[in-house]
Structure formats: structure tokens, C-alpha cells
Amino acid sequence: MKLLEGKTALITGASRGIGRAIAEKFASEGANLILTDLFYDDNAKALVDQLSATGVKVKMYASDASKFDQAQNVVDEAAKEFGQIHILVNNAGITRDTLLMRMTEDQWDLVINVNLKSVFNLTKAVQSLMLKQRYGSIINMSSVVGVSGNAGQANYSASKAGIVGFTKSVARELGSRNIRCNAIAPGFILTEMTDKLPEDVRKEWAEKIPLKRGGTPDEVAKVALFLASDLSSYVSGQVIQVCGAMLT
Ligand code: NAD
């Protein structure tokens, strides 16, 4: 029996990077998938075909996770199509890095809305389904910089720290209904998000990491699988760092 057989998972920001790796991992363990991203483009279509070929049911929606109404609409439509949603992975996230001195109000608002408000939007939208089911695992993608802070990322670090507070509160609030809520705090993971950084900055980061390399999206997906499945049935309200001991 596969770890997620009979389960349905909703993953935001799923067309590339860590979200895509989580979708692939969950499909390989038998989960049906509701995927979202900003656009349903050729790349997203190819992903849906690739995952459907493994025998699970997959549907992808173009939806902006930072918009309250769009989050509610996706969950309403998906609930009609799939019936239940057992797992929510709030993965969508962006950076707009710059020193506070230069940070504009728009850069602040955008990062807080996409990274933090989206977590509120989707969690609120799935809450009543999970309450009825008396079952749920919610996984929020934070970051080590939400714990440590980082120069040039005041907006991003604040959004990721906010996710930690939200995660712990939801774990306390919904635990009695068998709904678990945890966060993953990745360190330096090799995706398009970190590809944007200059080569020397990427090398410098890797040097500082005790495991001497950036992580892969699949290494984050394996932790997401643990948190999504009943392997973690007594784990809730936790922040699991996936960072090669970058932050201890
Ligand atoms: P990525 O940029 O490769 O992928 C992010 C995905 O989210 C993209 O497909 C993008 O289109 C989508 N997205 C962006 N805004 C969205 C919105 N408003 N609604 C729906 N989808 C949206 O990033 P990644 O590296 O895979 O990061 C995934 C998550 O992991 C993010 O929350 C990020 O902050 C977090 N994280 C990444 C790293 C890293 O080193 N890569 C480290 C710590 C945390």
C-alpha cells in the first residue's frame, strides 16, 4: 500500500521547483492531486500529463493564491470534482529582495500577500472540509530566514516568520479535530528562485552549509511526504528545517 493512497492533496505554486517535486513525490505515493499556479501554460499541461500517466487523478487550476476569492473558488471547484481534500501544501512563494532602505511599499505588500496571506486564504478555504472529515494535514512552506532573519530580505523573512506563528496557532486550534499543521523551513534549495542569485553568492552560500551543497527540491519533497502521511500522525505544530545544518 502506498503512503498516500486514497488521499487528495492540494498544492499551490506546483508547476515548478519545490511545489512540482512535492506533486511528483505525492503522485508516486498514490495521492490524487489538485494543483494550482498563476498560469496554466504548456509546462503545467505537460506536468499534468506526466502525473496523470502514473494513474492518479490530477487537475490543475490557474489561480493566484494571494487572492482570497480565487483561493475559495479553487477549493469549491476542486471539492465538487474530488469530494475531499486531505492534505494542503501552501507552497507558493516569491522574493523581492532589497535592503530596507530601498524597499518600496509595493515590494513589501506583494511578498506579504503572496507568501503569507495566501496561507491564510487556502487554509481558511479548506478548513470546513477538513473539519467535516475530521482529518487533515496542512503543510506550510516557511524558510530558515523566517527563523534567523536575513539582510536584504526583511519582507520575505517577515512573511516566513508569520507562517511559523500561523502554523503553530492552527495546530493548537484544529488539533482536537485531528487536523495537523506543520511548517517546513528549507535552507538553500536549488530552484529557479535561487538560480536568480549571482554565481558568487550561490557559491558563498554553499560554502557556509555544513553539508557543503544546496539541497534539491526532492529532498524537501521527502519531508513533505512524511508530514502529509500518517508516518507523522503525532507530529503537529512543528517547524522542520531542511537545510543541511545551515541553521542549527
Ligand atoms: P519557484 O520560484 O521555483 O516556484 C514557485 C512557484 O510558485 C512558481 O511556479 C510560481 O509561478 C508560483 N507562484 C508564485 N506566486 C504565486 C501565486 N500568487 N499564486 C500561485 N502560485 C504562485 O520557488 P521555489 O524555490 O520552488 O520555492 C517554493 C517555496 O519554497 C516558496 O514558498 C519559497 O519561499 C520556499 N523556499 C524556497 C527556498 C529555496 O532555496 N528555493 C528556500 C526556502 C523556502
Side-chain angles (χ1 to χ4, degrees):
M1 171 107 174
K2 292 180 171 177
L3 283 172
L4 300 180
E5 218 154 271
K7 299 286 192 296
T8 296
L10 191 163
I11 306 167
T12 65
S15 69
R16 65 171 199 235
I18 293 170
R20 183 186 180 115
I22 294 173
E24 290 171 343
K25 183 67 67 194
F26 284 12
S28 75
E29 288 296 337
N32 294 320
L33 296 171
I34 302 152
L35 308 178
T36 80
D37 210 301
L38 285 173
F39 307 104
Y40 187 47
D41 54 14
D42 289 346
N43 167 52
K45 276 183 202 138
L47 176 65
V48 171
D49 291 345
Q50 174 200 321
L51 297 174
S52 302
T54 68
V56 299
K57 179 171 173 178
V58 186
K59 192 134 195 222
M60 182 135 195
Y61 299 85
S63 176
D64 182 342
S66 71
K67 301 282 191 286
F68 186 84
D69 292 346
Q70 291 190 30
Q72 190 63 58
N73 288 343
V74 161
V75 170
D76 288 348
E77 279 191 39
K80 273 185 227 149
E81 181 87 25
F82 289 79
Q84 293 186 307
I85 299 175
H86 305 94
I87 301 153
L88 168 65
V89 184
N90 283 308
N91 166 77
I94 56 165
T95 52
R96 290 294 182 273
D97 297 350
T98 188
L99 295 174
L100 186 55
M101 186 78 82
R102 295 203 199 99
M103 192 174 289
T104 63
E105 187 183 0
D106 281 350
Q107 287 170 326
W108 172 269
D109 287 346
L110 188 63
V111 170
I112 297 294
N113 285 335
V114 174
N115 295 6
L116 181 58
K117 191 179 177 208
S118 64
V119 177
F120 163 76
N121 292 342
L122 270 301
T123 306
K124 208 160 150 65
V126 300
Q127 185 185 5
S128 55
L129 270 178
M130 287 188 173
L131 286 172
K132 268 188 228 138
Q133 294 163 188
R134 287 196 160 255
Y135 185 97
S137 174
I138 300 166
I139 301 163
N140 298 324
M141 208 52 73
S142 179
S143 164
V144 288
V145 305
V147 181
S148 65
N150 195 24
Q153 290 197 304
N155 50 359
Y156 184 78
S157 304
S159 71
K160 296 301 185 181
I163 287 176
V164 172
F166 183 86
T167 299
K168 293 184 178 188
S169 303
V170 169
R172 286 178 184 271
E173 206 170 306
L174 303 183
S176 64
R177 309 296 182 90
N178 195 32
I179 297 169
R180 299 182 293 110
C181 186
N182 292 286
I184 298 177
F188 188 74
I189 309 300
L190 304 166
T191 67
E192 284 186 38
M193 184 177 268
T194 45
D195 232 23
K196 281 189 270 180
L197 297 167
E199 174 77 24
D200 55 325
V201 175
R202 278 188 280 140
K203 271 200 177 138
E204 206 183 302
W205 273 102
E207 260 318 294
K208 279 194 246 166
I209 298 167
L211 287 185
K212 296 291 170 208
R213 63 176 178 87
T216 64
D218 187 61
E219 287 173 313
V220 180
K222 286 190 271 192
V223 177
L225 173 62
F226 167 70
L227 291 174
S229 73
D230 291 340
L231 288 177
S232 60
S233 52
Y234 202 54
V235 180
S236 191
Q238 304 305 306
V239 182
I240 302 189
Q241 291 177 198
V242 184
C243 66
M246 181 177 159
L247 184 72
T248 58

